[in-house]
Amino acid sequence: MIHTIFNANEHVAYDVLIENWILENYKLGHMPISIKKDNFDLLIAQINNYCQKQGYENLTFSELKDSVSPRFIYKNEQILLWITDMRETREIEIYTNTLDDLTAIQNIVYEYRKIQETDAEIMYATITRGPMGIIEKAVVKTLKDYGKISYKYYPFLKVEEFINQFLIGKESILLLGGNVGTGKSKFATLVLKYVLQNPEIIDNFEKREDIEELLEQPRQFKVAYIKNVQLLNEDALWDKLRNYHLVIMDDLDFVLSSRGESREDVLKNQFISHFLSFTDGTHENKTKFIITTNQPYNEIDEALLRPGRLYAVLNFRPLTYEEALDIWEEYGLKENDFENYFEDKEYINHAELGSIIENKLMNEEYVDIKNYILDPEIDVMGRIEKRAGLI
């Protein structure tokens, strides 16, 4: 929808002048889109990434200090974002000179709003062993906790289609293999992002009949995370797991090897027995399992590979230089910085790339954190970091 009409009676003269200037310099506009303030800098970074791909300059920031309400703009010659700062949200008006740019920026903003607005939440429980028995420590997570995770980390897979088929299908087990650092655990987290972006999928696990509950309470996707292999032979654990929609078992290596040569390993055999019983399909049970392992897939116990139980076995590989660069640029980071980190590498691990991106974003996000220091001589931390070679 094109927004080009202003009512001067509702604005002070300063705002009217600014709006007239917008109309003189940009041909098309869109009605305001309301988004929450969380991760706003990431949104700007994504739009700057689009600008770079189009050969435009990055957006520059200007604050409209004489405006009645707090307003500021980001602009280059092709794109302008007019932003009104509200208490908990920001209203973004988009102005461009071409319909293609308007549509592209609009889609980026709408996708960002989708990251934040959802009627679902993750109840994420870490299950451990305590002196009094099994302990479930649960926290509630929403989509903003996963908003910075990109589907592009898996360019060798139609990620969203793959996840959807896993969650709605009858097979309950997804095995993720590959060398350390190739994104196995990150992929499990990406599944949670997909669920929150598509909350209706939770209805496949747990129907809500009460209309008041449907309207007032968000859908809740219950996730259990287990890393302690000592828990896996306990009957009480498996009783608890029936209450969860997804179980993530991280770094299970020896328990997945074939039982043919190691029947003396009681723990492993008990786990396999419990697991096969839990997933045999004879009882109504929609719990899904994501298991990550460094175990070679050709050594996995054959019983787990039975059709109808296993959805897929994936053996992740590192990213190529070009694939990693594409992810880097999605976060609005500069290509020459990428070259400084990875110029000699043909392949790049997910973990290494993700760690550097996170650090870069954090450093840029908090670059002005010490603006309150007027005399650099009092900043002892800065001198300590230089002496220690931290910067």
Side-chain angles (χ1 to χ4, degrees), residues 16-68:
V16 174
L17 290 174
I18 292 293
E19 290 164 350
N20 287 336
W21 175 83
I22 292 174
L23 292 175
E24 292 173 0
N25 289 275
Y26 299 91
K27 299 176 182 178
L28 302 172
H30 191 277
M31 291 291 288
I33 303 173
S34 178
I35 67 169
K36 296 180 182 178
K37 293 183 178 180
D38 295 342
N39 296 329
F40 179 79
D41 290 342
L42 178 61
L43 170 64
I44 298 301
Q46 290 172 339
I47 295 176
N48 276 331
N49 180 47
Y50 171 81
C51 291
Q52 291 170 15
K53 290 183 177 180
Q54 299 301 312
Y56 304 157
E57 294 182 353
N58 279 357
L59 302 175
T60 59
F61 171 83
S62 298
E63 185 177 359
L64 307 180
K65 295 184 178 180
D66 295 329
S67 180
V68 173

Side-chain angles (χ1 to χ4, degrees), residues 236-347:
L237 171 71
W238 296 94
D239 290 338
K240 290 181 179 296
L241 293 186
R242 296 190 184 278
N243 298 320
Y244 291 93
H245 303 137
L246 174 66
V247 178
I248 301 172
M249 295 181 171
D250 210 7
D251 291 337
L252 294 193
D253 292 343
F254 78 92
V255 292
L256 291 182
S257 61
S258 173
R259 291 173 289 169
E261 299 179 0
S262 55
R263 289 189 177 275
E264 72 280 4
D265 192 331
V266 176
L267 175 60
K268 178 176 65 178
N269 290 329
Q270 286 181 331
F271 162 72
I272 294 293
S273 177
H274 278 298
F275 194 58
L276 295 179
S277 176
F278 192 94
T279 59
D280 66 1
T282 58
H283 302 287
E284 181 62 25
N285 178 25
K286 294 186 177 181
T287 305
K288 302 287 185 177
F289 289 84
I290 297 178
I291 301 176
T292 71
T293 178
N294 298 315
Q295 189 76 18
Y297 67 89
N298 57 350
E299 296 182 14
I300 294 173
D301 191 294
E302 291 184 1
L304 299 178
L305 304 177
R306 191 189 72 183
R309 174 178 283 131
L310 184 65
Y311 172 66
V313 180
L314 302 182
N315 193 50
F316 287 162
R317 61 163 173 80
L319 298 161
T320 66
Y321 185 94
E322 291 75 17
E323 291 167 345
L325 175 59
D326 189 35
I327 297 168
W328 182 271
E329 291 181 330
E330 184 182 22
Y331 290 93
L333 301 176
K334 298 178 181 179
E335 182 176 354
N336 60 345
D337 287 340
F338 180 86
E339 293 172 352
N340 291 336
Y341 284 106
F342 304 109
E343 60 179 348
D344 297 328
K345 293 192 175 184
E346 183 179 359
Y347 294 99

Side-chain angles (χ1 to χ4, degrees), residues 80-108:
L80 180 141
L81 305 179
W82 168 286
I83 299 164
T84 303
D85 206 4
M86 313 297 283
R87 183 173 182 178
E88 297 182 354
T89 63
R90 283 176 174 162
E91 304 287 331
I92 300 179
E93 298 177 41
I94 306 167
Y95 298 92
T96 69
N97 283 316
T98 70
L99 183 59
D100 286 345
D101 285 340
L102 182 66
T103 301
I105 302 302
Q106 171 191 325
N107 288 340
I108 292 173

Side-chain angles (χ1 to χ4, degrees), residues 8-9 12 51 121 157 183 188 246 273 276 307 361:
N9 294 326
V12 296
C51 291
E121 60 188 22
L157 194 66
L246 174 66
S273 177
L276 295 179
L361 292 176

Side-chain angles (χ1 to χ4, degrees), residues 129-270:
R129 189 76 165 83
M132 304 300 293
I134 294 175
I135 299 174
E136 299 169 273
K137 295 181 179 180
V139 295
V140 173
K141 294 180 178 288
T142 60
L143 199 45
K144 68 179 181 180
D145 294 303
Y146 304 106
K148 291 185 179 181
I149 304 173
S150 173
Y151 291 110
K152 287 189 175 183
Y153 273 98
Y154 306 90
F156 38 75
L157 194 66
K158 293 181 179 179
V159 178
E160 293 178 86
E161 182 177 334
F162 178 86
I163 293 174
N164 183 71
Q165 291 300 317
F166 171 56
L167 293 174
I168 68 175
K170 64 177 183 177
E171 296 88 357
S172 57
I173 305 170
L174 171 60
L175 295 183
L176 304 179
N179 293 331
V180 174
T182 52
K184 300 183 292 295
S185 297
K186 185 186 291 288
F187 189 86
T189 304
L190 205 55
V191 172
L192 306 186
K193 175 178 179 177
Y194 179 84
V195 169
L196 291 171
Q197 287 182 324
N198 301 274
E200 66 280 356
I201 207 165
I202 301 175
D203 293 337
N204 290 299
F205 294 85
E206 191 171 289
K207 296 291 185 181
R208 295 196 294 180
E209 305 294 343
D210 190 334
I211 187 62
E212 292 185 1
E213 178 188 3
L214 186 64
L215 292 173
E216 296 178 4
Q217 299 295 328
R219 294 176 174 92
Q220 191 173 77
F221 192 66
K222 302 179 181 68
V223 180
Y225 176 86
I226 304 172
K227 195 177 180 70
N228 184 352
V229 297
Q230 300 299 321
L231 289 171
L232 300 178
N233 65 344
E234 298 191 22
D235 293 340
L237 171 71
W238 296 94
D239 290 338
K240 290 181 179 296
L241 293 186
R242 296 190 184 278
N243 298 320
Y244 291 93
H245 303 137
L246 174 66
V247 178
I248 301 172
M249 295 181 171
D250 210 7
D251 291 337
L252 294 193
D253 292 343
F254 78 92
V255 292
L256 291 182
S257 61
S258 173
R259 291 173 289 169
E261 299 179 0
S262 55
R263 289 189 177 275
E264 72 280 4
D265 192 331
V266 176
L267 175 60
K268 178 176 65 178
N269 290 329
Q270 286 181 331

